Amino acid sequence: MVIALAQLMVVLDATIVNIALPSAQSDLGMSDGNRQWVITAYTLAFGGLLLLGGRIADLVGRKRTFIFGLIGFAAASALGGAATGPGMLFGARALQGVFAAVLAPSALSLLTTTFTDPKERGKAFGIYGALAGSGSAIGFIVGGLLTEYLDWRWCLYVNIPIAVVAVVGAFALLHDRPGHEGARLDVPGVLLGCGGLVAIVYGFSEAEPRGWSDPLVLALLGGGVVLLAVFVWWQTRARMPLLPLHIVKDRNRAGCFLTMALATIGMFGLFLFMTYYLQVVLAYSPVKTGLAFLPLTAAIITGSTQISARLMNRVPPRFLMVPGMVLAAGGMLILTQMTVDSSYATEILPALLLMGLGMGLTFMPVFATATAGVAPQDSGVTSATVNTSQQVGGSIGTALLNTIATTSSATYITAHLHNPAQRALIAKEAVVHGYTVAIWCAAGIMLLGGLVAGLLVTAKPPKHAAAGAPVPETVA
């Protein structure tokens, strides 16, 4: 629970400020062009520095970096909550991302090296997967409540008590091997790998406001791909590589990384659409919008802790991941039938429940399988790679699906606006049409994720794998 609390805090902060953003913009005098940096500053630092954070955890010890990350994250949250201007808030959000990049891989690698018994590992990853998968939805709920009844600043201050509890729990309960003395950090690998990830995450975040053909967007995406290609080349020659390539060459791990990326492409775009749909189209308040996501959160927790965790040791991981992605796609297909006056109880709720169960079935075996069989000295960077695929997938999903939605909306208006007196109604219908087109694409991406999981993830149930081979941690 201590480890899962930290992960919840990291995932929570990707979405908790979304609902608070209009209030923060008004209070601090942010321009419409700059307000996106409240989100971008966090995702850029977090997604770009994860590999570095994971390797630092391996070198100096996971418990140390876990506690350091918690304290730093809380301090950055306090700074952001006390912001007196846009620049101070942007800087605090970037600092949150830096400490999250240290904290997230430390948390997952501690989980990996602490729980080696298959039965206990299933329970632990069930709890972790539930909170990691539902953290974004919980962010909307908490953000709505805090913004409406307290103040937008509490969306940042709320991290402080969570971090205090986690730090106390870490000192009392967590144990870890010391770091690896004599090991060195791969500095060229850091510059190439982190530089490439920053460029790609930033490129996708700028694609939303600027458009895909913008020279800056093309330069960032192209430059990021080139840097990552050189990074891969360098990792084959570095004496102590930042990311040992055997980690990503493993078929099961590669399948999990790709499945996670495809799942979050669909999920993050959906969160964005549903927030606007509920608040703008159905005129829900921030609190009502947050509470509307509650069934999704409950379904993710149920799928992860009550279904995946119980079946993980009995069936191969793909027997959970493939049905999970199909269920999530089915929920999205229901949402493609949305209209400007859809009923929450009969049209939105069933879709959220299906998606929640699907994500609960998927996330838990992805985390557990991707980190299984990794030597302790590589557990941090492996955990960072899982988190990177989740973060980059979210950035791609938000930019790609939002572009599809806005383009479809503009096309709908052009085709249907014949009477200027109907402009308001047509505009609202166009927005919903854009969302449904994008959700069709998201459903297709989810099904592609299910296909990837079915073809690439061939691992056996953990207890069967353990019966034929020594426990990886003891081998290392």
Side-chain angles (χ1 to χ4, degrees):
M1 284 303 297
V2 169
I3 294 169
L5 259 184
Q7 178 65 17
L8 173 64
M9 191 170 67
V10 168
V11 181
L12 194 82
D13 262 67
T15 57
I16 193 171
V17 296
N18 283 32
I19 290 180
L21 191 52
S23 301
Q25 181 181 0
S26 174
D27 195 11
L28 299 180
M30 278 182 263
S31 68
D32 288 345
N34 286 336
R35 66 183 176 186
Q36 63 158 330
W37 279 102
V38 176
I39 311 297
T40 305
Y42 180 78
T43 56
L44 202 57
F46 184 28
L49 299 177
L50 269 165
L51 285 180
L52 175 60
R55 186 46 95 193
I56 288 173
D58 289 332
L59 296 180
V60 305
R62 289 165 283 272
K63 181 175 176 179
R64 286 182 188 174
T65 51
F66 181 79
I67 293 169
F68 171 75
L70 281 170
I71 294 171
F73 198 92
S77 300
L79 182 67
T84 55
M88 188 173 171
L89 180 58
F90 300 156
R93 289 286 287 168
L95 274 177
Q96 278 186 311
V98 170
F99 287 109
V102 174
L103 182 57
S106 300
L108 184 52
S109 57
L110 274 169
L111 198 72
T112 302
T113 55
T114 300
F115 297 96
T116 56
D117 175 72
K119 187 176 181 182
E120 293 300 317
R121 186 178 173 89
K123 291 180 183 177
F125 273 91
I127 295 168
Y128 182 88
L131 291 182
S134 62
S136 297
I138 293 172
F140 287 118
I141 298 166
V142 176
L145 290 168
L146 293 175
T147 302
E148 187 149 327
Y149 293 116
L150 289 173
D151 184 69
W152 68 266
R153 297 177 185 274
W154 279 97
C155 291
L156 294 160
Y157 288 145
V158 72
N159 292 317
I160 299 170
I162 297 175
V164 169
V165 171
V167 166
V168 172
F171 276 115
L173 300 171
L174 298 184
H175 305 283
D176 184 32
R177 298 178 180 88
H180 300 275
E181 294 183 12
R184 294 177 178 274
L185 192 63
D186 173 20
V187 176
V190 169
L191 295 175
L192 290 167
C194 295
L197 287 172
V198 165
I200 285 176
V201 173
Y202 187 29
F204 278 113
S205 68
E206 286 295 309
E208 185 182 338
R210 291 174 177 268
W212 292 94
S213 59
D214 184 81
L216 176 64
V217 172
L218 295 175
L220 286 168
L221 295 178
V225 169
V226 170
L227 285 172
L228 289 181
V230 178
F231 169 74
V232 171
W233 169 83
W234 172 253
Q235 295 308 280
T236 63
R237 287 157 177 76
R239 191 166 65 89
M240 293 183 180
L242 178 68
L243 176 61
L245 292 184
H246 66 82
I247 290 172
V248 291
K249 283 181 179 178
D250 178 86
R251 176 177 181 152
N252 290 305
R253 243 174 250 124
C256 287
F257 296 153
L258 193 51
T259 301
M260 173 62 81
L262 291 168
T264 49
I265 285 175
M267 283 297 286
F268 272 64
L270 179 79
F271 284 143
L272 180 72
F273 299 144
M274 290 310 299
T275 303
Y276 277 94
Y277 176 76
L278 293 171
Q279 287 198 63
V280 176
V281 179
L282 298 187
Y284 281 22
S285 68
V287 170
K288 193 174 179 182
T289 300
L291 292 176
F293 283 103
L294 195 56
L296 174 72
T297 305
I300 291 175
I301 293 172
T302 301
S304 188
T305 62
Q306 301 305 309
I307 302 176
S308 282
R310 294 175 186 273
L311 295 177
M312 184 68 185
N313 296 326
R314 297 189 176 96
V315 301
R318 62 177 170 180
F319 282 22
L320 296 170
M321 293 160 66
V322 173
M325 296 298 277
V326 171
L327 272 177
M332 289 190 166
L333 288 176
I334 293 174
L335 286 180
T336 61
Q337 306 307 307
M338 287 191 312
T339 64
V340 293
D341 53 2
S342 288
S343 164
Y344 176 82
T346 58
E347 296 174 66
I348 309 300
L349 179 59
L352 294 179
L353 290 173
L354 274 180
M355 285 187 293
L357 279 174
M359 289 297 97
L361 284 173
T362 303
F363 279 151
M364 183 267 175
V366 164
F367 283 122
T369 307
T371 56
V374 178
Q377 64 265 27
D378 290 330
S379 65
V381 75
T382 305
S383 304
T385 309
V386 182
N387 279 286
T388 299
S389 62
Q390 185 177 18
Q391 191 62 32
V392 172
S395 298
I396 294 171
T398 302
L400 177 63
L401 296 179
N402 194 60
T403 303
I404 292 170
T406 52
T407 304
S408 301
S409 295
T411 304
Y412 185 92
I413 289 175
T414 302
H416 292 81
L417 186 59
H418 305 301
N419 183 357
Q422 295 181 319
R423 177 176 292 275
L425 176 62
I426 295 297
K428 190 177 281 192
E429 288 176 349
V431 167
V432 175
H433 172 76
Y435 292 166
T436 56
V437 171
I439 291 170
W440 271 110
C441 296
I445 291 168
M446 287 286 189
L447 290 174
L448 178 61
L451 182 63
V452 166
L455 294 177
L456 292 183
V457 183
T458 57
K460 296 178 180 178
K463 66 177 181 181
H464 295 136
V471 177
E473 282 72 15
T474 58
V475 174

